[in-house]
């Protein structure tokens, strides 16, 4: 039996072709699929194709390919026929069928599926980040965060963090309390990625009383008293002055409104910086 080698050729990363090859190899008694496979990604010129042809011939390989650029694909197919290299196109026929059925011309852009995947994984990463660094649990998140939200309790820091995470921003939120010193790292990071959240004292009083009732606690607790709220807001303002970041009043804003305001500010800072 001739030694088996499968060369995965692609103008992107080659994952699609490799997955098809792996699924096929699973139907046979192959001890090490990894040793059988040769991946040849990011083919973008005739010279690269010629190099791939040499590798395929040297290994007596079957070529499994996913090429979407018509000119590169045509050149590769012609060269493989000339060199008598066994080959299979795992996307071509389906692309042609879809083009006919949809009455559309394909984009012919390599790697689009991986761009979508990357977008998805960035979102998941941001969501996990928001959970991990909620309420200032780990100060190491300050340096890694795209946005740092600062505010007293019940200023929508957590829901804002999650909303922004779905927009692929890594967000850490830091609660401010008079009895607790803010982490020194907060004063060392770029203040342009920090945003303070403030709320009307009367509205905060109402929100906190409702929260205490939901928890089955006395709504007259210190947490919801006007004097306590005034103390917290005054302390918050001092902290924000030290940091030197903007403040958004969330009193009468929906989460989406506040988030859009934050995004506009952060993106503008990036444009200025970049």
């Amino acid at each position: 039996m001739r030694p088996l080698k499968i060369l995965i050729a692609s103008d992107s990363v080659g994952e699609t072709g490799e997955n098809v090859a792996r699924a096929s190899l699973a139907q046979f008694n192959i001890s090490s699929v990894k040793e059988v496979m040769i991946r040849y990604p990011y083919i973008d010129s005739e010279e690269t194709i010629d190099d791939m042809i040499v590798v395929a011939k040297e290994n007596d390989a079957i070529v499994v390919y996913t090429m979407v650029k018509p000119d590169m694909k045509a050149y590769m197919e012609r060269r493989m026929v000339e060199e008598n290299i066994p080959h299979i196109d795992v996307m071509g026929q389906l692309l042609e069928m879809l083009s006919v059925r949809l009455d559309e011309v394909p984009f012919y852009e390599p790697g689009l599926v991986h761009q979508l995947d990357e977008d998805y994984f960035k979102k998941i990463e941001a969501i996990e980040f928001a959970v991990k660094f909620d309420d200032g649990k780990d100060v190491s998140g300050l340096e890694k965060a795209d946005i740092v939200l600062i505010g007293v309790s019940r200023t929508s820091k957590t829901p804002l963090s999650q909303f922004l995470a779905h927009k692929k921003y890594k967000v850490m939120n830091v609660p401010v309390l008079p009895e607790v010193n803010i982490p020194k790292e907060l004063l060392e990071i770029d203040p342009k990625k920090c945003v303070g959240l403030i709320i009307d004292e009367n509205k905060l009083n109402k929100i906190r009383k409702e929260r205490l009732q939901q928890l089955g606690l006395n709504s007259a607790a210190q947490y919801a008293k006007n004097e306590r709220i005034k103390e917290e807001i005054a302390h918050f303002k001092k902290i924000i002055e030290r940091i030197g970041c903007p403040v958004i009043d969330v009193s009468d804003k929906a989460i989406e409104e506040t988030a859009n305001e934050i995004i506009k500010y952060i993106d503008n800072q990036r444009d200025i910086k970049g």
Side-chain angles (χ1 to χ4, degrees):
M1 183 180 70
R2 294 162 67 184
L4 176 64
K5 286 289 183 182
I6 297 179
L7 189 150
I8 312 298
S10 176
D11 45 15
S12 183
V13 295
E15 188 175 0
T16 302
E18 182 170 324
N19 287 339
V20 171
R22 283 181 180 275
S24 300
L25 287 168
Q27 301 299 318
F28 298 90
N29 186 24
I30 306 294
S31 58
S32 176
V33 171
K34 188 175 180 181
E35 291 180 8
V36 168
M37 310 273 249
I38 304 168
R39 194 187 283 199
Y40 212 102
Y42 303 116
I43 294 172
D44 59 359
S45 66
E46 293 184 357
E47 291 76 13
T48 315
I49 291 172
D50 291 338
D51 292 341
M52 182 277 293
I53 294 293
V54 171
V55 174
K57 284 183 66 68
E58 287 176 348
N59 288 275
D60 191 22
I62 297 169
V63 174
V64 175
Y65 63 99
T66 53
M67 299 288 290
V68 297
K69 289 187 175 180
D71 54 341
M72 292 292 100
K73 178 182 172 185
Y75 181 79
M76 177 185 283
E77 290 173 341
R78 178 166 62 80
R79 292 287 289 114
M80 288 190 292
V81 169
E82 289 173 354
E83 298 295 338
N84 198 30
I85 295 171
H87 55 277
I88 182 165
D89 177 5
V90 299
M91 281 181 62
Q93 283 188 313
L94 182 55
L95 273 177
E96 289 174 11
M97 288 181 186
L98 289 172
S99 181
V100 171
R101 179 62 63 89
L102 297 172
D103 193 24
E104 290 183 19
V105 177
F107 294 121
Y108 295 125
E109 294 180 26
L112 288 182
V113 66
H114 297 290
Q115 289 176 25
L116 293 173
D117 288 345
E118 184 180 356
D119 193 61
Y120 170 77
F121 286 117
K122 278 184 178 178
K123 181 189 292 186
I124 296 302
E125 184 182 4
I127 292 170
E128 290 175 348
F129 186 94
V131 172
K132 180 178 180 182
F133 296 106
D134 185 42
D135 278 342
K137 293 172 185 173
D138 183 350
V139 294
S140 67
L142 289 168
E143 190 63 38
K144 303 169 189 172
D146 299 315
I147 303 170
V148 177
L149 302 179
I150 305 157
V152 300
S153 175
R154 313 315 297 175
T155 48
S156 302
K157 296 187 301 298
T158 296
L160 268 171
S161 296
Q162 287 295 325
F163 187 93
L164 290 164
H166 280 82
K167 302 290 185 181
K168 301 183 290 297
Y169 292 91
K170 292 180 181 177
V171 185
M172 177 172 179
N173 70 76
V174 180
V176 174
L177 288 168
E179 300 81 10
V180 181
N181 292 327
I182 61 168
K184 61 181 179 59
E185 291 86 353
L186 184 58
L187 300 173
E188 296 170 354
I189 62 171
D190 186 354
K192 292 183 177 63
K193 68 178 184 179
C194 297
V195 177
L197 304 174
I198 198 167
I199 188 170
D200 176 76
E201 293 176 9
N202 293 327
K203 192 173 186 70
L204 183 56
N205 174 270
K206 183 180 178 182
I207 291 171
R208 287 189 175 185
K209 283 182 176 177
E210 289 174 354
R211 179 58 176 162
L212 287 169
Q213 288 173 352
Q214 288 170 2
L215 296 172
L217 301 173
N218 189 340
S219 60
Q222 181 71 11
Y223 175 70
K225 285 185 176 179
N226 286 326
E227 305 81 51
R228 172 63 184 183
I229 289 172
K230 286 180 183 295
E231 182 187 6
E232 288 187 27
I233 295 293
H235 178 68
F236 162 80
K237 289 179 178 178
K238 288 178 183 177
I239 296 299
I240 292 301
E241 189 175 345
R242 290 177 65 190
I243 295 169
C245 66
V247 176
I248 295 176
D249 190 334
V250 302
S251 302
D252 299 307
K253 288 187 175 75
I255 295 295
E256 295 87 345
E257 289 180 87
T258 307
N260 288 335
E261 200 169 326
I262 292 169
I263 290 169
K264 185 177 179 180
Y265 166 73
I266 293 295
D267 288 353
N268 185 52
Q269 293 302 316
R270 285 178 173 176
D271 290 341
I272 292 170
K273 197 173 181 179

